[in-house]
């Protein structure tokens, strides 16, 4: 259900798509726009965002906020 039509902002209701696909869908249901999902959405895994952040420049002050081994060990 599109958010503009009362749908929730949840992983079950929102999926990532290319801008052109999103514009084609607009505020319609996927079947109303002639679209279908490539795969059923799955619940996101619990993963702290800091796992994805790298300290490539070895900034010492950043280390306390990042996961161990996330770049240089300054």
């Amino acid at each position: 259900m599109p958010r503009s039509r009362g749908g929730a902002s949840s992983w079950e209701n929102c999926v990532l798509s290319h801008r052109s696909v999103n514009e084609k869908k607009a505020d319609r249901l996927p079947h109303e726009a002639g679209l279908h999902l490539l795969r059923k959405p799955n619940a996101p895994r619990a993963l702290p965002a800091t796992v994805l952040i790298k300290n490539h420049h070895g900034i010492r002050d950043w280390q306390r906020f990042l996961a161990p081994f996330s770049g240089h060990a300054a």
Side-chain angles (χ1 to χ4, degrees):
M1 174 69 65
R3 291 183 2 201
S4 64
R5 291 167 53 181
S9 293
S10 64
W11 66 266
E12 297 104 330
N13 192 49
C14 297
V15 296
L16 293 175
S17 66
H18 190 274
R19 176 185 234 161
S20 62
V21 174
N22 195 44
E23 289 171 352
K24 177 181 177 181
K25 183 183 167 297
D27 65 346
R28 299 177 287 178
L29 296 172
H31 74 273
E32 293 172 343
L35 301 169
H36 67 278
L37 292 173
L38 297 177
R39 61 182 171 257
K40 183 179 176 182
N42 293 319
R45 290 176 277 188
L47 182 69
T50 56
V51 170
L52 304 174
I53 300 170
K54 306 295 182 209
N55 187 6
H56 295 294
H57 299 289
I59 300 170
R60 185 172 298 163
D61 292 341
W62 290 10
Q63 286 307 119
R64 70 180 131 199
F65 302 108
L66 304 178
F69 311 108
S70 64
H72 297 0

